[in-house]
Amino acid sequence: MQPNGLDKLDIENIGKVIYNPDYAKLAEDEKVKGECAFTDNGTAMVDTGIFTGRSPKDKYFVEQPPSNEHIAWGSINQPLTPEIYQELREITMKQLSGKDLYIIDAYAGASPSSRKAIRFVTEIAWQAHFIENMFIMPSEEELKNFEPDFVLYNACKATNPKFKEQGLNSEVYVAFNIEQNEAIIGGTWYGGEIKKGIFTMMNYWLPLEGKLSMHCSANIGKDDDVCLFFGLSGTGKTTLSTDPNRRLIGDDEHGWDDEGVFNFEGGCYAKVINLDPNSEPEIYNAIRPGALLENVVADEQGHVDYSDDSKTENTRVSYPIEHIENHECTLMGGHPKNIIFLTADAFGVLPPVSKLTKEQAMYYFLSGYTAKVAGTERGITEPVATFSACFGEAFLPLHPTVYAELLGKKIDEHDVNVYLVNTGWTGGPYGVGKRMSIKDTRACINGILNGSINEAEFETLPVFDLQIPKALEGVADNAVLNPRNTWEDKEAYDEQLRKLAAMFIENFNRYNDRGSEFDYSSAGPKL
């Protein structure tokens, strides 16, 4: 089978077209072309070169109507003139011309009423492999009439020599032309640019259709109750949503339309640094032929050392969701019963679990808070607060309040319970206290999922006005539920509480210009 509309690609002298190949063909090409090595169990391993993460400063949108009226321009969504885009496009097409090409037609979005048909073009076998892992592959019948809504051209071998005179950041480019329904990538080999590029576009399209796009994981229980897990990197989003008692809908990107929640992807993209088969057996067992490891270190026999971060701390594996035994085959679920915001508070201030009002839910969604532990090269151990709107600000082309408004409507419409769960520190900040035990965190999650948390007696955390349960089944010591109890120096806790509150307030000031409709500051901490 050959793709429809090959002549519309604007690429000259296309050689052999490898169209939606199977994993056996991809593995053969990866081996023959020398693109990948293989582990002792036959899993492909690739090095993505100097780029082991995304290049956010090299991401642009063409500034033209009507999309320019919707995009929130700034450091995240940078404008590009149509003329410069055309120059970059010519570089891209020149690189891809006269080559054998992998063309992958796939869907973003499991919901038939909300999915988008995407065509990917690349000359690299492992990138085709990555795409097939991460997106939803059509049936042969669907491919017969496949018409792409959007085309992504990946010319990673090409670079832009004129970037300085064009006023761009570097020779790398990731550029979106919404009106032409296409994107181009040059200069970076990192697979995550492909994944997050399409996620960015889904975050543009869906809200304009009145549908919510979300950076979250989702699972579903035996009674078909759906739970969403929002959280930035390091908060436990993937680990906590991968539950042997619940089917995984997806681990990272979802939509919420009139029918319910659906995965954007057909696979998972998990961090594997310090991967341990005992604590994360589902991910460990998913690393087998068909999966694709990025930037890991292995010996001559192909045995991977997951603790080795000499290439990067951002070692990754992509794999089709079928590699997770307990997954939801449809990649869809109904409307959520519960939403959980995960934060790793390294200041040791926030409770292990809090029940939020709708207004608080909007506040903490727009705040998108976690705290990362600072590097210790010069003895700095003070945590660093991170605020990323909607828990994914780097991928939001529209203003964050657009997504918040949609979330608020959904919470009201479907009577959803919302909770804030802290997987960070207790008994003091990083360097003094200790990380919250996974057992206690699981007990908090279980209390939410089985509804027992709603039977608990609650008390109020001062300043933040958060409702925290006094006791929960499965928590080793209920005293831990109120973080102040766990600090030896209570005055130090109170001071740290006020410090964190001030950070929240300062961050939320950026929404002051959105009018009374989005004034949720009263639901946040008060000093």
Side-chain angles (χ1 to χ4, degrees):
M1 189 183 290
Q2 289 292 290
N4 300 319
L6 204 56
D7 55 322
K8 297 177 185 174
L9 289 182
D10 219 9
I11 301 171
E12 296 178 5
N13 304 319
I14 296 175
K16 184 179 171 188
V17 171
I18 305 101
Y19 185 47
N20 283 32
D22 60 22
Y23 283 126
K25 168 63 176 168
L26 288 166
E28 179 190 339
D29 287 1
E30 287 163 344
K31 198 171 287 184
V32 169
K33 292 181 173 186
E35 293 179 5
C36 293
F38 290 81
T39 69
D40 48 11
N41 80 345
T43 304
M45 296 181 288
V46 66
D47 286 353
T48 63
I50 60 170
F51 292 96
T52 57
R54 291 180 302 102
S55 303
K57 292 181 179 177
D58 298 302
K59 177 179 168 184
Y60 306 93
F61 286 89
V62 179
E63 188 176 11
Q64 59 194 353
S67 60
N68 61 353
E69 295 174 16
H70 300 295
I71 293 172
W73 299 106
S75 59
I76 290 170
N77 302 312
Q78 303 177 94
L80 189 70
T81 67
E83 292 76 20
I84 293 176
Y85 177 82
Q86 189 57 35
E87 290 181 37
L88 298 177
R89 191 179 192 274
E90 286 170 10
I91 292 170
T92 304
M93 298 310 168
K94 184 179 178 183
Q95 176 61 41
L96 294 173
S97 292
K99 307 286 195 318
D100 293 347
L101 296 177
Y102 296 87
I103 296 180
I104 311 298
D105 284 344
Y107 294 117
S111 170
S113 60
S114 299
R115 72 188 183 188
K116 302 296 179 186
I118 314 292
R119 173 162 290 172
F120 300 89
V121 182
T122 177
E123 59 180 303
I124 309 296
W126 77 256
Q127 289 184 350
H129 183 169
F130 178 85
I131 291 160
E132 291 196 5
N133 279 352
M134 294 314 306
F135 294 90
I136 299 168
M137 301 309 295
S139 66
E140 280 199 27
E141 195 60 37
E142 288 172 321
L143 284 177
K144 287 177 185 174
N145 301 306
F146 193 95
E147 291 293 336
D149 299 310
F150 193 81
V151 181
L152 187 148
Y153 299 91
N154 193 319
C156 58
K157 291 183 180 180
T159 55
N160 176 23
K162 293 171 61 179
F163 73 91
K164 285 182 181 174
E165 61 192 83
Q166 292 165 341
L168 304 184
N169 177 63
S170 79
E171 61 185 10
V172 171
Y173 56 89
V174 180
F176 300 86
N177 191 319
I178 293 174
E179 278 66 32
Q180 285 183 210
N181 291 308
E182 65 180 33
I184 51 176
I185 295 175
T188 171
W189 292 66
Y190 183 60
E193 293 288 8
I194 301 169
K195 167 185 158 69
K196 290 305 185 190
I198 299 304
F199 182 47
T200 296
M201 286 309 306
M202 293 296 276
N203 283 329
Y204 177 85
W205 290 315
L206 262 59
L208 298 180
E209 298 172 11
K211 301 165 183 176
L212 180 60
S213 53
M214 305 173 291
H215 191 212
C216 69
S217 57
N219 64 23
I220 185 167
K222 62 181 187 298
D223 298 323
D224 290 341
D225 58 300
V226 172
C227 184
L228 303 181
F229 297 79
F230 289 85
L232 300 175
S233 180
T235 58
K237 182 162 56 87
T238 299
T239 302
L240 292 170
S241 59
T242 307
D243 184 329
N245 300 310
R246 297 173 66 83
R247 305 187 304 280
L248 183 69
I249 298 173
D251 79 330
D252 195 41
E253 302 172 5
H254 291 82
W256 187 352
D257 61 16
D258 291 340
E259 283 77 50
V261 168
F262 59 96
N263 196 347
F264 285 171
E265 302 181 297
C268 302
Y269 193 40
K271 281 189 174 181
V272 294
I273 193 69
N274 296 317
L275 181 66
D276 175 29
N278 297 314
S279 59
E280 294 183 282
E282 291 87 359
I283 295 172
Y284 189 86
N285 293 327
I287 301 173
R288 57 182 194 262
L292 177 65
L293 286 159
E294 291 181 16
N295 303 311
V296 296
V297 177
D299 62 21
E300 288 182 4
Q301 285 71 45
H303 182 74
V304 179
D305 180 359
Y306 290 107
S307 67
D308 193 326
D309 63 357
S310 56
K311 293 179 184 175
T312 177
E313 284 192 6
N314 190 34
T315 53
R316 294 269 182 174
V317 63
S318 66
Y319 50 85
I321 200 166
E322 290 79 17
H323 282 203
I324 296 289
E325 188 176 334
N326 197 22
H327 73 278
E328 171 52 46
C329 299
T330 65
L331 303 177
M332 294 187 285
H335 300 290
K337 182 178 179 182
N338 298 297
I339 292 174
I340 296 171
F341 297 152
L342 297 168
T343 181
D345 176 27
F347 295 99
V349 165
L350 295 177
V353 62
S354 321
K355 187 167 171 44
L356 305 180
T357 65
K358 178 216 165 177
E359 290 72 25
Q360 286 176 322
M362 304 294 281
Y363 182 90
Y364 285 95
F365 183 62
L366 279 168
S367 297
Y369 165 72
T370 195
K372 295 180 180 177
V373 176
T376 54
E377 288 175 12
R378 298 184 183 176
I380 300 170
T381 57
E382 182 72 18
V384 177
T386 301
F387 295 95
S388 180
C390 311
F391 298 95
E393 191 166 5
F395 318 115
L396 305 183
L398 313 179
H399 195 279
T401 54
V402 174
Y403 308 91
E405 181 184 20
L406 281 166
L407 180 69
K409 285 179 180 174
K410 296 284 191 185
I411 290 171
D412 277 342
E413 194 177 334
H414 303 289
D415 195 24
V416 186
N417 299 310
V418 187
Y419 303 87
L420 180 67
V421 170
N422 175 22
T423 61
W425 272 254
T426 183
Y430 171 79
V432 178
K434 60 180 182 179
R435 193 80 192 251
M436 205 78 68
S437 85
I438 188 71
K439 186 173 179 293
D440 284 345
T441 298
R442 283 282 186 197
C444 294
I445 301 288
N446 290 339
I448 291 168
L449 296 175
N450 64 30
S452 62
I453 192 171
N454 298 313
E455 309 304 317
E457 184 183 349
F458 285 81
E459 60 182 318
T460 303
L461 185 76
V463 179
F464 279 79
D465 201 29
L466 292 170
Q467 296 302 300
I468 52 180
K470 289 185 175 181
L472 271 183
E473 185 183 343
V475 174
D477 179 3
N478 283 310
V480 79
L481 293 171
N482 188 323
R484 194 173 190 269
N485 296 337
T486 66
W487 283 54
E488 257 183 60
D489 187 338
K490 309 298 185 196
E491 286 185 11
Y493 172 80
D494 295 339
E495 184 184 348
Q496 192 76 283
L497 180 82
R498 289 189 293 271
K499 272 187 188 176
L500 182 60
M503 293 179 207
F504 267 91
I505 292 165
E506 183 184 359
N507 171 69
F508 211 79
N509 282 337
R510 60 183 170 142
Y511 300 118
N512 287 346
D513 64 341
R514 304 305 291 181
S516 58
E517 187 182 354
F518 294 100
D519 185 11
Y520 292 103
S521 53
S522 60
K526 299 175 196 69
L527 289 173

